[in-house]
Amino acid sequence: MYRFLLSPRWLGALALTLVAAAVMVWLGNWQLDRYRGRTEVNERIDAGQRMAPVPLTEALSAPTGGAGKAGPAPAEEKVWTRVTVTGRYDPTNTVLVRGRTVDSRVGFEVLTPLVLSDGTALLVDRGWIPPAPGGATAQPPVPAAPTGDVTVVGRVHDTESGAGTVSRRDGRLETRRISVPRLAGELPYPVYGAYLLLDEQTPAADPAFKAVSVGHANNWQNFGYVVQWWLFAVMALFGYGWVARREARRAAGLDTERRPLDRAAEPTPTASA
């Protein structure tokens, strides 16, 4: 009944169906890996918000190069770790990161190097401020950094990807992306290989700054793609089986098409006497 499945045409259709289903399963597995990865990131973000701060050196390795060099990037499991460190701000090398959005407003994030007692520095994201009147790129007045020793508590943020250029305008560094290695090249001391997203500061931070919120990765979107690709794979295999079964029944004469009745051709009934 199913001998026709051994014909070249049906074998080719089977091979194509199996390849398509395998690709769809692979795509589903790939999205599953992305779902797991994003879920781990979200869990680290939540854990970093709850954890007690640890010394900086437990999360980041100190830079070993000379001035203008960035230290090693943090291990994946150390990103979003909450740390505490004491140093002195260097406001002469403040970095303005333009085009950053908080509460649906575009402004600047302000990074100031915190110089530690050993001469190394850590970039601290002190928060967000709106632009000056005149447009989203107009440099704002930056609240002064505290003088003397400052103790900060914040979460380790990995360097951002992208080849953002760094320029100096009106005595301040400007960039679009927080690329620590690029920023380190503009600074007169070795810099840690990640930056700190400020949570607390002693002395207290200026109230003009707004906290930079941390968005969670949309892991459930990836989970939806997993279900979608695996359903497509099942549908491809089911579709092949359904078409094959219909062809087999047709060849066996089990699915004969019925002609529609032609009522006009039937004799007109006569009234009985």
Side-chain angles (χ1 to χ4, degrees):
M1 186 174 180
Y2 286 93
R3 289 182 180 274
F4 65 90
L5 293 178
L6 300 177
S7 66
R9 181 170 70 89
W10 280 93
L11 288 175
L14 176 62
L16 184 62
T17 302
L18 292 176
V19 169
V23 170
M24 293 171 191
V25 170
W26 179 84
L27 288 171
N29 290 337
W30 174 60
Q31 289 293 341
L32 182 61
D33 288 339
R34 287 178 60 82
Y35 165 77
R36 289 170 175 164
R38 287 186 167 186
T39 300
E40 290 175 1
V41 171
N42 291 341
E43 290 173 350
R44 287 200 300 271
I45 291 173
D46 294 337
Q49 291 175 330
R50 297 188 300 265
M51 70 180 294
V54 299
L56 175 66
T57 52
E58 290 191 17
L60 283 173
S61 299
T64 55
K69 299 296 183 182
E76 185 177 2
E77 65 273 11
K78 296 298 183 179
V79 177
W80 302 115
T81 299
R82 201 162 185 248
V83 301
T84 180
V85 61
T86 299
R88 291 179 173 236
Y89 278 127
D90 175 17
T92 62
N93 286 294
T94 293
V95 181
L96 294 179
V97 189
R98 61 183 178 272
R100 314 295 273 205
T101 302
V102 170
D103 295 336
S104 302
R105 296 182 65 193
V106 178
F108 293 81
E109 288 180 36
V110 179
L111 275 68
T112 304
L114 186 74
V115 183
L116 312 187
S117 58
D118 61 0
T120 62
L122 172 69
L123 288 171
V124 177
D125 190 331
R126 296 163 60 201
W128 178 94
I129 54 176
T137 60
Q139 276 200 3
V142 178
T147 58
D149 287 344
V150 180
T151 298
V152 299
V153 175
R155 285 162 288 165
V156 173
H157 196 305
D158 203 359
T159 185
E160 295 180 353
S161 60
T165 58
V166 180
S167 59
R168 191 175 286 273
R169 181 163 65 105
D170 298 333
R172 296 192 183 113
L173 294 170
E174 271 197 22
T175 187
R176 180 67 178 82
R177 305 290 295 171
I178 306 177
S179 172
V180 173
R182 284 182 175 271
L183 291 170
E186 304 292 329
L187 301 175
Y189 24 66
V191 179
Y192 277 81
Y195 68 99
L196 201 67
L197 200 60
L198 184 66
D199 288 335
E200 304 170 19
Q201 177 182 288
T202 306
D206 194 295
F209 287 109
K210 287 192 174 183
V212 177
S213 60
V214 178
H216 287 66
N218 188 359
N219 55 334
W220 288 107
Q221 181 182 44
N222 297 104
F223 187 79
Y225 289 149
V226 172
V227 175
Q228 172 183 294
W229 283 116
W230 287 354
L231 280 177
F232 285 165
V234 172
M235 290 170 63
L237 295 173
F238 176 81
Y240 176 86
W242 182 80
V243 173
R245 182 175 181 276
R246 188 182 65 176
E247 182 68 18
R249 290 177 60 85
R250 183 177 297 171
L254 300 177
D255 275 351
T256 55
E257 294 184 359
R258 295 182 178 180
R259 291 186 178 182
L261 295 177
D262 186 358
R263 297 295 184 184
E266 293 183 357
T268 305
T270 58
S272 56

